[in-house]
Amino acid sequence: MLISTKGRYALRVMIDLAEHQTDGFIPLKVIAERQDISEKYLESIIKLLVKARLLTGLRGKGGGYRLTMAPEQYTVGDILRLTEESLAPVSCIERGVDSCPRAAECRTLSMWQGLAGVINEYLDNITIADLMQPGAAGDYYVI
């Protein structure tokens, strides 16, 4: 599993908006400047987040984007499942993929399913609010 730039940037945008939620609607240009992301690329990410109702937008003077919920209600898993084609570690367990003809005799299938479960559980237990805390990224390593 490799998280794309789109997924990483979506998380950065969500954290940015969460950190500035008392500022009202934040213009795309401001987010792009703060996060050092091109406005054109950011537009495609924002569009995806608005379509999924994670953000709301307002056009015109004083317009921009803001969160639709509290930062505690957004999980990293939800955001990455929106931006990534799959979080599955192998293609045979992706949703919507026809079952592998070898599934009945596959000795590794349950291992891959277990790994997918660990990945999803891990990402679903980290919220945008968690990531707003200084040094939070280091708090989630599990050994």
Side-chain angles (χ1 to χ4, degrees), residues 9 28 32-33 35-44:
Y9 285 3
L28 179 76
E33 287 173 3
Q35 293 303 315
D36 194 27
I37 302 171
S38 83
E39 282 186 59
K40 185 172 176 94
Y41 191 55
L42 188 56
E43 282 177 8
S44 67

Side-chain angles (χ1 to χ4, degrees), residues 4 14 18 25 30 35 46 70 84 89 101 106 114 119 125:
S4 70
M14 297 297 287
F25 286 92
V30 171
Q35 293 303 315
I46 294 270
E84 305 305 309
C106 182
I119 290 168
N125 282 295

